[in-house]
Amino acid sequence: MPLDRRHFLGGAALLAGGSLSSGRVLGQAAWTVLGQPLSSLPWLQDVRRVIIDTDPGTDDLLAIMMMLSSTRITTEAITVTPGNIGYEQEVRNALYLSKTLTDGKIPVHRGVDHPLLNRPYPAAGFIHGRYGLGDMVVPEVALRPAPEHASVAISRIVSAHPGEVVLLALGGLSNIALALLLDPSIARKARGVVIVGGRYEGIGTAVNFNAMVDPEAADIVLRSGLQIAMTGGLGPTEMLTQADFDHIKTFGTQKSEIFLKSNAERLKFETEQRHKPGATYADPFAAAMVLDPSVASEFEAVNVKVELNGVETRGEYVFGGTHIYTGDALPPNVAICSKGSVEKFRAQVFKALRS
């Protein structure tokens, strides 16, 4: 499917206030009370197909390893989206991971190489290193990207398996948003999307890197009608400590060695510069939610918007229950994971890196 001027004009109309959901009130089928705690999401149970939309950095690497270790879930494609580092290095990293972990059996699709409006954002090399995978020099491999654009591949795969495909969104949401602009019907054909969100601590705002990369794309996804689950920034629950790294060293597998080599500087940065007890892994926790949804023990149904215009707040998620002026209830459009199991998360990580 070619990307032409009509698609972007359609996108402009949507950003100006249109809707992808044909008037459907978001979330009403899933939730009856705003903020009501939910112990599970039915659509996250027994997932069998996934598309990994990623900006391969250190945490993406672990999430990808976890997903590709599953014998139950088929990864249909890896699509590369703007995010952590320079786009060409992200593509190189994705090709390396597909070749190394699957002998190239999982196709890698290039997507848009910049946010939809091409506005600049600060890259995250300070935590992901020069090459995205820490200081590990990523070799060029004998694998090339699939010819199909990522947004077209997303639309095709979702349409071929209606109700089956979960989109695992680990980076900026540019590719998924563009897929929705090209084919709004995938909002109802996809099983759902799992987004790496910001720190959720109740009503208010939270900065999130992936939303900051492309706020307009996040806005499109949030208003699309997709069933959306979001990580909530659970702190220690999604953290690996020095003791965990030491335990991983005992595995002696290719995956464990790649993880340790690429993530050593991440652990050092988070413990020494951010004074945390370990390194935070929101992307792998999102993967864990797909692999074993019981890792997320509670969700909250929340209305989520993204700030598009603020000088200091552009890209922040806004969590709300009622309209700030009228007091009218706002329909929930996102289920945010508000509680999780650190034991189940670490067990999934260890299982993947041992294999």
Side-chain angles (χ1 to χ4, degrees):
M1 184 184 299
L3 307 181
D4 61 27
R5 184 170 177 270
R6 291 178 294 108
H7 295 128
F8 290 96
L9 289 176
L14 177 65
L15 294 173
S19 173
L20 285 171
S21 57
S22 303
R24 181 155 59 98
V25 179
L26 306 187
Q28 290 300 294
W31 309 306
T32 56
V33 179
L34 188 67
Q36 169 185 336
L38 304 163
S39 59
S40 66
L41 297 180
W43 64 267
L44 266 181
Q45 307 298 316
D46 197 30
V47 174
R48 295 303 176 98
R49 300 180 190 272
V50 69
I51 296 172
I52 305 174
D53 192 53
T54 179
D55 52 342
T58 52
D59 51 349
D60 301 72
L61 173 142
L62 179 55
I64 292 168
M65 284 182 169
M66 292 167 68
M67 290 306 311
L68 297 185
S69 296
S70 174
T71 57
R72 175 176 59 86
I73 299 176
T74 299
T75 296
E76 298 286 347
I78 295 173
T79 54
V80 185
T81 193
N84 286 321
I85 50 174
Y87 192 79
E88 295 306 319
Q89 185 66 49
E90 290 179 0
V91 173
R92 186 184 183 109
N93 293 353
L95 291 169
Y96 165 74
L97 292 173
S98 176
K99 179 63 176 176
T100 303
L101 302 176
T102 76
D103 197 26
K105 294 177 182 177
I106 307 300
V108 174
H109 296 262
R110 293 179 63 100
V112 286
D113 60 3
H114 55 74
L116 295 184
L117 298 189
N118 204 17
R119 294 181 64 170
Y121 65 90
F126 61 90
I127 192 170
H128 294 286
R130 179 179 179 182
Y131 304 104
L133 303 184
D135 290 332
M136 185 174 77
V137 179
V138 180
E140 185 175 356
V141 296
L143 180 67
R144 294 293 174 262
E148 198 174 29
H149 192 278
S151 60
V152 178
I154 290 170
S155 176
R156 172 183 57 79
I157 294 167
V158 167
S159 296
H161 306 283
E164 295 185 29
V165 181
V166 167
L167 307 174
L168 179 58
L170 303 179
L173 293 166
S174 312
N175 286 333
I176 295 174
L178 184 54
L180 287 161
L181 296 178
L182 293 170
D183 182 5
S185 73
I186 67 173
R188 63 176 182 273
K189 292 177 182 175
R191 190 176 183 91
V193 58
V194 177
I195 295 175
V196 177
R199 295 186 302 274
Y200 175 68
E201 298 174 348
I203 303 305
T205 62
V207 176
N208 174 256
F209 178 78
N210 292 345
M212 181 178 62
V213 166
D214 196 340
E216 283 72 25
D219 181 56
I220 289 169
V221 173
L222 288 170
R223 294 193 290 110
S224 68
L226 274 165
Q227 296 199 94
I228 302 173
M230 182 182 286
T231 63
L234 300 177
T237 303
E238 53 189 32
M239 188 171 287
L240 297 177
T241 65
Q242 181 64 62
D244 295 319
F245 273 64
D246 292 341
H247 182 53
I248 292 168
K249 286 179 184 177
T250 68
F251 296 171
T253 64
Q254 180 189 42
K255 290 178 184 175
S256 65
E257 290 175 2
I258 292 173
F259 168 77
L260 291 168
K261 188 173 183 179
S262 62
N263 277 264
E265 290 301 311
R266 181 186 184 95
L267 177 65
K268 182 178 179 181
F269 175 82
E270 295 230 55
T271 55
E272 295 183 3
Q273 301 298 318
R274 290 179 169 173
H275 309 292
K276 293 184 177 181
T280 305
Y281 287 98
D283 287 16
F285 192 86
M289 287 168 56
V290 178
L291 290 163
D292 176 12
S294 69
V295 73
S297 54
E298 188 172 291
F299 293 87
E300 290 185 27
V302 181
N303 181 276
V304 182
K305 294 183 174 67
V306 63
E307 173 58 44
L308 301 178
N309 299 307
V311 175
E312 300 295 336
T313 59
R314 175 173 157 79
E316 283 194 359
Y317 282 130
V318 180
F319 308 110
T322 57
H323 192 283
I324 190 171
Y325 296 120
T326 67
D328 293 338
L330 300 172
N333 59 341
V334 174
I336 298 178
C337 177
S338 53
K339 291 182 182 179
S341 167
V342 64
E343 293 81 10
K344 290 185 177 182
F345 172 60
R346 286 177 177 158
Q348 286 196 44
V349 170
F350 297 157
K351 179 181 179 181
L353 295 182
R354 280 195 188 99
S355 64

